[in-house]
Amino acid sequence: MAKTSLLLFLILMTSSLLGQQILTKKYTPEQCIRMIQEAADALRSFQPGVYRYHTREDFDRYLDSIKATVQAPLTELELYRKLKPLVSRIGCLHTDLVTAVNYKGLLNKTPNLLPLQVYGTGERAFVVKNYTTNNGIVAGDEIMAINGRPMPDVLRQLLAAIPSDGYNQTMKYLALYHMFPLWYRSIIEVADTFTVTIKHNGIPSVYVLPAAQKKNIEQDGFLRELHYPRQLEFNITGNTGVLTIHTFANSLIRKGDQNFKVFIDRAFAALNAKGIPDLIVDLRYNTGGSDANAAYFTRFFFDKPYRYWYRIEVTEKVAGKIRGLAGIWYRKPVKKDSTWLWQKGKRVRDFDFYEQQYPSENAYKGNVYVLINGFCMSSCADVASVLSYNRKAVFVGTETGGGFQGNNSGIMPGINLRPSKMVLTVPLQQYFTAVDPEMNVGKGTLPDLPVIMTIDELARGIDKPMEAAMDLIRSRQ
């Protein structure tokens, strides 16, 4: 064997062995309980919204119940499956737990994914797309069980592990629609075959499906993020404008050679110059981004001063850390009664928007229709809340995944849970949107016109929410 070939063989073999060690290495029960407790302590100390939707007593009870289940050594993935529901239970989509950076990469090298795209609703799940050669399974068939597990049990276990703001479910189900095989692998089991009970036309049948490798079945929007050549799109057809904002994140917008404020200014200038009476704003799948961009966008829908956020809170531990180098960038939080209020930054504008906001000189006065779904998160959810509460638009689609009352985000450090490679992301700021504090508590922005897609519409790619908005416009015109 040539020296180069031998060297390559040794490198690949060593890499494979290291990969197996990462996947199979076990931690003692004492180590596992210590990591679970460390995660809980970090959340209590630094996450200001840890009791926003559940009491401390409820959190402690659930924590104790998880620790009680640790009776034997666990791999990192097994420990992740126990700890992930505790993190998600807080009701914060920004608080996250991930396995080792290369953990998923190692799993992706072998076939271990269910080869079906799945749509869940309530306790039921249906096939949207079949990625096998088995023609007996078609779109619309109901999945009754996977590897002996009834689907209601599967869905309950998966939904408990997927984070969202408050008690929101639309984000969780949408995540399953796009990523069911990955969530099943992460939370329930890694398998090389799947025995699936399928009901077709009321008749159940059992199929044994070989597992698929991620690279062989992934596509844009399934097991892979949606890709857009341009993050901002605008057009006028007849008397209707359509403005699509896929993100408020400057980093993504700039990749398409676009500038957010310039683009938005020009779009509204065109709407007003042409006297366009109706505007559809598509915010679906906008997972957030720059608060400055999001707040700037809302200015085009008001004709008098308004509020965007009411306040931003942090924990006492976080307030105490604003000193030294941190003091160059941030002001010391101010204590008011029993809470610590975050202040505007010294050198950053990320926290400027709890003060009074002012409308744009080129504000739009026509009819506005906003399309939303469960993947409207973070700053996008703030935009939806502010516009909905102030009745600046008709909302069409499904509830946003981001909270109506606000969220926990801002500065979000990662905490390593040693000796594992897991990382816990902890947001340090708790935001309160300028809305009625008694309205939609624990929920996102609710649609004025709910639009639920059928399996057939999903499979055929029909844009039912857009059609519903167009129907509203036609009925008014």
Side-chain angles (χ1 to χ4, degrees):
M1 181 182 291
K3 288 184 179 179
T4 53
S5 299
L6 177 60
L7 180 61
L8 179 61
F9 172 76
L10 290 173
I11 290 172
L12 292 173
M13 189 170 184
T14 302
S15 176
S16 177
L17 289 172
L18 288 173
Q20 286 303 312
Q21 288 175 2
I22 291 172
L23 293 172
T24 59
K25 180 180 178 179
K26 293 203 172 188
Y27 301 96
T28 67
E30 293 75 21
Q31 287 176 313
C32 292
I33 290 173
R34 189 163 60 248
M35 284 186 274
I36 292 171
Q37 187 63 51
E38 182 185 348
D41 291 343
L43 291 171
R44 288 178 177 136
S45 297
F46 302 111
Q47 217 280 30
V50 71
Y51 306 126
R52 189 167 188 164
Y53 301 107
H54 299 280
T55 65
R56 184 186 183 98
E57 292 73 25
D58 179 80
F59 181 89
D60 290 344
R61 261 194 314 271
Y62 194 74
L63 172 64
D64 290 340
S65 70
I66 290 174
K67 290 193 288 188
T69 66
V70 181
Q71 303 291 333
L74 301 174
T75 65
E76 180 167 317
L77 186 56
E78 290 168 340
L79 177 58
Y80 171 84
R81 290 170 179 163
K82 291 183 179 295
L83 187 50
K84 181 71 170 176
L86 172 70
V87 174
S88 298
R89 186 181 176 84
I90 293 170
C92 170
L93 63 83
H94 291 94
T95 304
D96 199 12
L97 178 73
V98 296
T99 51
V101 173
N102 54 351
Y103 209 103
K104 290 181 180 178
L106 292 169
L107 289 174
N108 288 341
K109 290 181 178 180
T110 58
N112 49 44
L113 295 177
L114 179 73
L116 301 174
Q117 185 170 16
V118 177
Y119 175 79
T121 176
E123 294 190 332
R124 302 174 72 186
F126 301 87
V127 175
V128 176
K129 192 167 183 178
N130 175 9
Y131 288 90
T132 74
T133 57
N134 191 320
N135 296 325
I137 303 174
V138 298
D141 286 352
E142 184 171 3
I143 305 172
M144 308 303 295
I146 301 174
N147 286 350
R149 296 177 174 85
M151 282 310 295
D153 293 346
V154 170
L155 289 173
R156 275 193 293 270
Q157 193 170 346
L158 295 181
L159 291 169
I162 301 173
S164 68
D165 281 351
Y167 318 118
N168 171 272
Q169 297 292 303
T170 57
M171 177 187 165
K172 293 173 180 275
Y173 280 106
L174 194 55
L176 289 182
Y177 170 66
H178 291 285
M179 301 285 180
F180 184 94
L182 292 176
W183 278 107
Y184 186 94
R185 183 182 72 182
S186 294
I187 301 301
I188 296 181
E189 65 175 334
V190 178
D192 55 13
T193 59
F194 296 92
T195 301
V196 185
T197 304
I198 300 285
K199 184 184 284 188
H200 177 74
N201 291 335
I203 301 173
S205 299
V206 177
Y207 299 92
V208 178
L209 307 177
Q213 192 171 352
K214 182 174 181 286
K215 68 178 183 179
N216 293 330
I217 61 173
E218 68 178 345
Q219 55 184 278
D220 201 25
F222 179 60
L223 309 185
R224 189 169 64 206
E225 288 188 17
L226 290 161
H227 172 73
Y228 308 103
R230 295 284 187 275
Q231 299 295 331
L232 308 173
E233 302 173 40
F234 175 68
N235 64 76
I236 296 174
T237 303
N239 286 323
T240 302
V242 178
L243 174 60
T244 302
I245 304 175
H246 296 298
T247 184
F248 288 110
N250 278 323
S251 58
L252 295 174
I253 293 169
R254 288 169 184 157
K255 284 182 179 179
D257 295 324
Q258 294 179 304
N259 178 290
F260 183 82
K261 290 184 178 180
V262 171
F263 187 95
I264 295 301
D265 285 346
R266 289 174 178 172
F268 281 95
L271 288 168
N272 290 325
K274 296 181 180 181
I276 301 301
D278 296 287
L279 171 65
I280 296 174
V281 178
D282 192 349
L283 295 180
R284 292 173 295 175
Y285 293 99
N286 183 324
T287 58
S290 163
D291 288 317
N293 286 342
Y296 185 80
F297 178 65
T298 61
R299 297 174 58 215
F300 290 87
F301 302 94
F302 287 85
D303 56 7
K304 58 185 178 181
Y306 65 101
R307 298 292 300 277
Y308 187 75
W309 296 326
Y310 278 142
R311 66 189 185 280
I312 306 170
E313 295 181 4
V314 295
T315 67
E316 184 176 0
K317 278 280 184 70
V318 172
K321 289 185 177 293
I322 306 304
R323 60 181 186 271
L325 288 176
I328 297 174
W329 297 93
Y330 308 111
R331 289 183 171 85
K332 179 79 174 176
V334 175
K335 189 174 184 180
K336 183 177 182 180
D337 299 325
S338 60
T339 61
W340 287 90
L341 299 179
W342 188 257
Q343 303 299 297
K344 291 174 63 173
K346 291 181 180 178
R347 299 175 183 272
V348 294
R349 291 199 57 213
D350 305 55
F351 310 103
D352 287 7
F353 308 106
Y354 59 81
E355 297 177 327
Q356 185 166 264
Q357 304 297 301
Y358 296 92
S360 168
E361 294 179 357
N362 211 7
Y364 180 68
K365 296 178 176 60
N367 304 309
V368 183
Y369 309 82
V370 180
L371 308 185
I372 54 174
N373 69 2
F375 273 18
C376 292
M377 311 176 198
S378 196
S379 60
C380 176
D382 292 344
V383 168
S385 299
V386 171
L387 296 184
S388 174
Y389 173 67
N390 289 283
R391 299 186 180 278
K392 296 300 179 181
V394 175
F395 284 77
V396 180
T398 55
E399 179 187 349
T400 62
F404 184 80
Q405 294 289 334
N407 62 59
N408 312 294
S409 54
I411 303 170
M412 297 184 286
I415 297 173
N416 297 312
L417 301 179
R418 303 297 187 195
S420 78
K421 304 295 183 184
M422 289 190 296
V423 177
L424 176 68
T425 301
V426 182
L428 304 184
Q429 280 85 15
Q430 181 175 202
Y431 294 77
F432 291 84
T433 318
V435 298
D436 182 347
E438 303 299 321
M439 186 176 177
N440 297 346
V441 176
K443 297 181 178 294
T445 295
L446 301 175
D448 301 296
L449 177 61
V451 178
I452 306 300
M453 299 284 287
T454 66
I455 304 297
D456 179 64
E457 289 165 343
L458 287 168
R460 291 195 290 142
I462 294 174
D463 193 345
K464 191 173 179 180
M466 181 64 78
E467 290 183 356
M470 289 294 189
D471 286 342
L472 278 177
I473 290 171
R474 281 191 287 267
S475 67
R476 284 189 173 183
Q477 291 177 348

